[in-house]
Amino acid sequence: MTDRPIDAVIARAIDAHAALAEFGEEVEDEWTYVTDLAAAWRERLESVAAERSGEEAAADVEAAVDAAIAEAALVHDPHRAIDWMSTFPQVVLIAMGERP
């Protein structure tokens, strides 16, 4: 893996998180919670991307984020997707050395 801009790595994580949210929205009783959670984490991840724009992501950071994205893609239950909506961005942020 080559080093990429951290904001590009975060953009992939944001896309994966959005996919979890879309899946979680299938649970009608949780729709408001899912959309609020999606917005809050998107804002946090976008904030880190803006703060660290231009910085290169180390290969191990990119690999860790890719692994988290791959795990999130294995979620096939809307309720589990909602659980992952909280966990996934925290894993991504920790991999980048950020506070969740």
Side-chain angles (χ1 to χ4, degrees), residues 27-95:
V27 182
E28 288 184 29
D29 294 345
E30 299 292 339
W31 189 86
T32 300
Y33 174 72
V34 168
T35 56
D36 289 349
L37 189 61
W41 280 115
R42 181 180 189 93
E43 182 180 312
R44 174 71 178 112
L45 291 168
E46 287 175 343
S47 173
V48 172
E51 290 170 12
R52 295 177 64 177
S53 180
E55 180 182 327
E56 295 295 314
D60 60 340
V61 170
E62 186 174 0
V65 172
D66 286 345
I69 290 169
E71 285 295 317
L74 297 175
V75 175
H76 297 292
D77 175 86
H79 292 91
R80 176 76 76 198
I82 294 169
D83 293 341
W84 264 81
M85 286 182 66
S86 293
T87 305
F88 174 77
Q90 293 182 60
V91 170
V92 169
L93 290 166
I94 289 169

